[in-house]
């Protein structure tokens, strides 16, 4: 019986590999030409690609849900003034298990200080506003001085960061993760060689670029740093002579088609955030949601019903106008202000503190009636389309700023231009080219009175989740508020997300599947 069980597991594993992977054939099924062969043109295809999340992220399998469907409070009344109920579908994506912590942010600041020691403006602009702790009638000065940097708060969520700072952190994190992948796998010079490990006798490389790594600049071929295991360039036009590093064949940078680099880290959309916070995957069976939620956990209450933890609060929030943590000797949520990012019980997606602790920035521009008009698939408000500025049209090199990042300009067309249109546009002065960057104009025309008689502008950004300084009503994932993108508070932090490419289904094992030709052939061999 045991042997049969083990055989079944092995059989299912092989079937799953067929189901989850594309054809392993090394030949085009349309031309018959072999892939990855120099003599056939050198067209390279990665047929062993396996996706996975970047560091710190967990998988969120997407699906349909009623956005704002959880918008009832404990008294059973709808929070209709905060959102508009609408059936919505969200693609599968990745999301940070926890909020970004003080240590995570200090790592960012340390990188800036190390790589740009004389750029005081850059460093200053990324320091969180620790003065958010100051209140006229409250003694919070110790937090002004200590909250960000003292080890006592190293695992607590970073606060005092603006939406704009959070966006820049996402960009920086993308580059650091991709650089680590390339250096650790030998596609670029290793960190030991870069920094010079005197204990092992490795000297710092002298031929590598001196600018910090940037993913977009690297993909455009403007960052020439090839390691011992650099990708081979199989193009017939390249000679077999050794390159500058002594490699036996011509090498090239990793391309997007190789499937090695991770997608950019970014702020989650409001729809993604709400979907992930609810975690209805734990209440779903055969497409039936057998129990809805008001909070990221089941039930109507705010405290644990389990015997060992009965009565303990499931999130860090303010129970009443003056009760932030309960009675001494029996603290209920155990946090007067924030608490460590891995506190309480994670929701069914494995995400911590999706209610309470700190509110979290999301990507969307705020409008009170967004979801009456937004698309039902991956709804998002705030698109502003940009292109990389080309420095040399002949070589395709893109212009870089002083921090080795692409210079972005407003998109010049709503569609792919013809070659003639592209050349004509390049010949015109930059200020005379029509821009089509903001596609929201189709059905999201900003009212002329926005920012005049209301606080809402195109720079108003949504934040969600409730915080240590909010009462229970705001812990509902459907609630939403806004703040200007260049402002910050002591109760708003953030976490990052990443787009998941490919199939929406994450785990196919044990689920009904249509059999492909490969699977039928496999089954026939077993018989």
């Amino acid at each position: 019986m045991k042997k049969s069980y083990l055989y079944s597991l092995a059989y299912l594993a092989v079937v799953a590999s067929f189901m989850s992977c594309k054809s392993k054939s090394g030949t085009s099924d349309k031309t018959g030409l072999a892939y990855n062969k120099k003599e056939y043109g050198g067209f390279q295809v990665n047929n062993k690609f396996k996706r996975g999340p970047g560091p710190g992220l967990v998988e969120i399998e997407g699906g349909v849900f009623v956005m704002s469907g959880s918008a009832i409070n404990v008294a059973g009344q709808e929070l209709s003034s905060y959102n508009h109920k609408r059936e919505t579908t969200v693609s599968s994506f990745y999301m940070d298990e926890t909020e970004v912590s003080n240590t995570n942010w200090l790592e960012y600041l340390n990188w800036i200080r190390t790589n740009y020691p004389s750029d005081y403006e850059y460093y200053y602009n990324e320091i969180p506003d620790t003065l958010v702790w100051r209140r006229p009638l409250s003694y919070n000065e110790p937090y002004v001085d200590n909250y960000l940097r003292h080890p006592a708060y190293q695992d607590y969520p970073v606060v005092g960061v603006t939406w704009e700072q959070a966006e820049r952190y996402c960009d920086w994190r993308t580059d650091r993760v991709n650089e680590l992948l390339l250096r650790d796998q030998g596609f670029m010079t290793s960190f030991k060689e870069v920094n010079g490990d005197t204990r092992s006798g490795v000297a710092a490389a002298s031929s590598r670029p001196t600018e910090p790594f940037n993913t977009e600049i690297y993909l455009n071929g403007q960052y020439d740093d090839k390691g011992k295991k650099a990708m081979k360039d199989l193009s017939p036009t390249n000679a077999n002579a050794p390159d500058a590093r002594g490699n036996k064949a011509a090498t090239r940078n990793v391309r997007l088609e190789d499937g090695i680099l991770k997608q950019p880290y970014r702020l989650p959309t409001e729809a993604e955030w709400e979907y992930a916070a609810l975690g209805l995957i734990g209440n779903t069976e055969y497409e039936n949601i057998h129990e809805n939620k008001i909070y990221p956990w089941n039930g109507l209450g705010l405290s644990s019903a389990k015997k060992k933890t009965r009565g303990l609060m499931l999130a860090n929030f303010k129970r009443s106008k003056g009760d932030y943590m309960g009675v001494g000797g029996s603290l209920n949520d155990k946090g007067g202000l924030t608490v460590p990012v891995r506190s309480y019980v994670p929701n069914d997606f494995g995400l911590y503190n999706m209610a309470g602790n700190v509110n979290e920035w999301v990507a969307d521009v705020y409008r009170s009636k967004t979801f009456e008009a937004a698309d039902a698939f991956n709804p998002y408000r705030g698109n502003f389309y940009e292109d990389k500025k080309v420095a040399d049209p002949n070589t395709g090199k893109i212009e870089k700023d002083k921090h080795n990042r692409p210079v972005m300009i407003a998109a010049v067309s709503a569609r792919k231009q013809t070659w003639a249109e592209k050349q004509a546009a390049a010949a015109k002065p930059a200020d005379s080219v029509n821009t089509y960057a903001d596609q929201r104009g189709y059905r999201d025309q900003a009212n002329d009175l926005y920012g005049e008689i209301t606080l809402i502008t195109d720079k108003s950004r949504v934040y969600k989740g409730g915080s240590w300084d909010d009462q229970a009503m705001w812990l509902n994932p459907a609630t939403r508020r806004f703040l200007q993108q260049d402002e910050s508070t002591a109760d708003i932090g953030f976490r990052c997300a990443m787009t998941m490419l490919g199939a929406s289904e994450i785990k196919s094992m044990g689920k009904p599947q249509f059999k492909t030709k490969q699977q039928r052939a496999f089954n026939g061999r077993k018989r």
Side-chain angles (χ1 to χ4, degrees):
M1 182 68 180
K2 185 176 181 181
K3 186 180 292 186
S4 175
Y5 173 72
L6 292 175
Y7 171 80
S8 298
L9 286 179
Y11 173 80
L12 286 172
V14 175
V15 171
S17 71
F18 279 116
M19 290 159 56
S20 61
C21 301
K22 59 187 177 183
S23 171
K24 300 298 182 184
S25 171
T27 304
S28 169
D29 60 348
K30 297 294 187 280
T31 66
L33 294 172
Y35 301 146
N36 306 317
K37 298 284 186 180
K38 185 172 184 178
E39 59 268 31
Y40 289 102
F43 177 57
Q44 293 175 272
V45 175
N46 178 7
N47 51 24
K48 296 181 180 179
F49 168 72
K50 185 177 181 181
R51 71 182 181 191
L57 302 172
V58 297
E59 298 168 322
I60 309 293
E61 184 169 282
V64 64
F65 81 117
V66 178
M67 194 159 186
S68 191
S70 61
I72 56 173
N73 61 20
V74 178
Q77 297 179 353
E78 292 191 11
L79 302 175
S80 58
S81 59
Y82 302 115
N83 218 328
H84 175 81
K85 291 186 179 183
R86 184 176 179 184
E87 193 173 50
T88 300
T89 294
V90 174
S91 293
S92 298
F93 63 103
Y94 304 110
M95 196 167 187
D96 267 339
E97 181 184 29
T98 69
E99 300 131 336
V100 173
S101 71
N102 285 322
T103 296
N104 300 147
W105 199 269
L106 290 175
E107 181 186 9
Y108 177 34
L109 294 178
N110 179 72
W111 183 90
I112 296 172
R113 185 167 49 194
T114 301
N115 287 273
Y116 296 97
S118 301
D119 195 339
Y120 304 114
E121 181 183 5
Y122 187 12
Y123 185 83
Y124 180 82
N125 286 341
E126 300 313 312
I127 296 175
D129 181 5
T130 60
L131 300 181
V132 293
W133 291 108
R134 281 185 177 165
R135 298 185 181 182
L137 300 178
S138 179
Y139 180 63
N140 286 347
E141 205 63 20
Y143 306 116
V144 173
D145 298 330
N146 295 299
Y147 182 82
L148 173 65
R149 299 182 184 275
H150 197 281
Y153 298 106
Q154 63 185 2
D155 295 324
Y156 285 55
V158 67
V159 297
V161 293
T162 66
W163 182 93
E164 293 171 347
Q165 286 177 311
E167 281 275 288
R168 293 195 292 267
Y169 174 87
C170 292
D171 293 340
W172 169 84
R173 184 177 173 186
T174 300
D175 292 335
R176 302 291 70 76
V177 167
N178 281 331
E179 182 181 18
L180 178 65
L181 283 172
L182 295 173
R183 295 197 187 284
D184 277 5
Q185 295 183 37
F187 299 114
M188 285 172 49
T189 309
S190 70
F191 275 114
K192 279 189 177 181
E193 291 179 275
V194 169
N195 297 317
D197 188 344
T198 55
R199 291 172 299 176
S200 61
V202 176
S206 59
S207 59
R208 63 177 292 272
T210 56
E211 307 94 346
F213 174 87
N214 176 270
T215 303
E216 295 295 335
I217 297 296
Y218 174 85
L219 284 172
N220 201 52
Q222 293 175 240
Y223 196 89
D224 188 13
D225 182 2
K226 299 181 181 67
K228 295 178 180 177
K229 297 182 180 179
M231 300 292 290
K232 291 182 180 180
D233 190 342
L234 300 180
S235 173
T237 58
N238 286 319
N240 288 320
D243 65 6
R245 289 187 57 86
N247 292 297
K248 293 182 179 180
T251 55
R252 60 170 176 82
N253 282 0
V254 167
R255 299 170 183 154
L256 190 63
E257 299 94 310
D258 297 318
I260 293 168
L261 296 173
K262 297 296 182 186
Q263 287 293 295
Y265 285 83
R266 56 176 174 79
L267 290 176
T269 66
E270 183 177 358
E272 287 175 335
W273 194 98
E274 185 174 331
Y275 178 86
L278 277 174
L280 291 173
I281 195 169
N283 297 18
T284 304
E285 187 175 6
Y286 302 114
E287 274 202 289
N288 295 313
I289 299 174
H290 55 75
E291 183 180 2
N292 210 333
K293 293 180 178 179
I294 298 176
Y295 306 108
W297 52 83
N298 287 321
L300 302 176
L302 296 160
S303 59
S304 173
K306 294 183 178 179
K307 185 175 181 180
K308 290 184 178 180
T309 55
R310 185 169 296 159
L312 292 180
M313 291 298 166
L314 293 168
N316 178 24
F317 67 101
K318 184 169 63 175
R319 289 207 293 181
S320 64
K321 290 184 178 180
D323 183 0
Y324 284 82
M325 58 183 178
V327 179
S330 184
L331 301 181
N332 53 57
D333 65 25
K334 308 185 188 303
L337 297 172
T338 57
V339 294
V341 295
R342 281 188 175 84
S343 297
Y344 312 108
V345 179
N347 74 356
D348 288 331
F349 279 123
L351 305 172
Y352 287 87
N353 294 312
M354 293 301 285
N357 208 22
V358 289
N359 289 289
E360 298 180 16
W361 288 115
V362 297
D364 292 57
V365 165
Y366 178 84
R367 294 280 193 280
S368 60
K369 298 183 182 298
T370 288
F371 298 103
E372 291 182 5
D375 287 350
F377 183 71
N378 289 335
Y380 168 67
R381 185 169 233 144
N383 282 315
F384 189 85
Y385 300 104
E386 294 182 310
D387 296 332
K388 302 178 190 71
K389 186 177 181 180
V390 178
D392 186 347
N394 295 320
T395 62
K397 287 188 176 181
I398 54 180
E399 190 169 323
K400 302 182 289 185
D401 65 13
K402 65 178 182 178
H403 298 134
N404 203 42
R405 298 175 300 204
V407 174
M408 306 301 293
I409 58 174
V412 298
S413 177
R415 59 173 177 80
K416 181 183 176 181
Q417 296 173 295
T418 65
W419 180 256
E421 288 172 337
K422 188 174 177 66
Q423 301 312 304
K428 292 181 182 178
D431 57 357
S432 67
V433 177
N434 292 328
T435 59
Y436 298 86
D438 192 347
Q439 298 292 334
R440 287 174 291 168
Y442 284 116
R443 58 181 177 190
D444 194 19
Q445 193 74 33
N447 190 306
D448 291 338
L449 297 178
Y450 279 168
E452 297 293 332
I453 63 171
T454 74
L455 296 175
I456 301 170
T457 71
D458 280 342
K459 293 187 176 181
S460 302
R461 299 288 174 170
V462 179
Y463 66 89
K464 296 171 76 75
S467 76
W468 61 270
D469 199 24
D470 290 316
Q471 291 185 259
M473 176 183 75
W474 297 104
L475 304 186
N476 187 300
T479 60
R480 59 201 300 257
R481 289 172 283 181
F482 67 92
L483 189 70
Q484 295 302 97
Q485 65 186 39
D486 58 354
E487 295 180 0
S488 60
T489 72
D491 62 2
I492 300 180
F494 74 102
R495 73 181 73 209
C496 302
M498 179 185 287
T499 301
M500 182 186 294
L501 304 181
S504 297
E505 190 173 54
I506 293 174
K507 296 179 181 178
S508 57
M509 180 71 74
K511 299 176 183 177
Q513 303 286 342
F514 290 110
K515 291 183 179 179
T516 66
K517 183 177 180 180
Q518 280 183 315
Q519 292 162 4
R520 288 195 293 270
F522 174 79
N523 291 338
R525 287 198 300 273
K526 282 298 175 186
R527 283 194 292 270

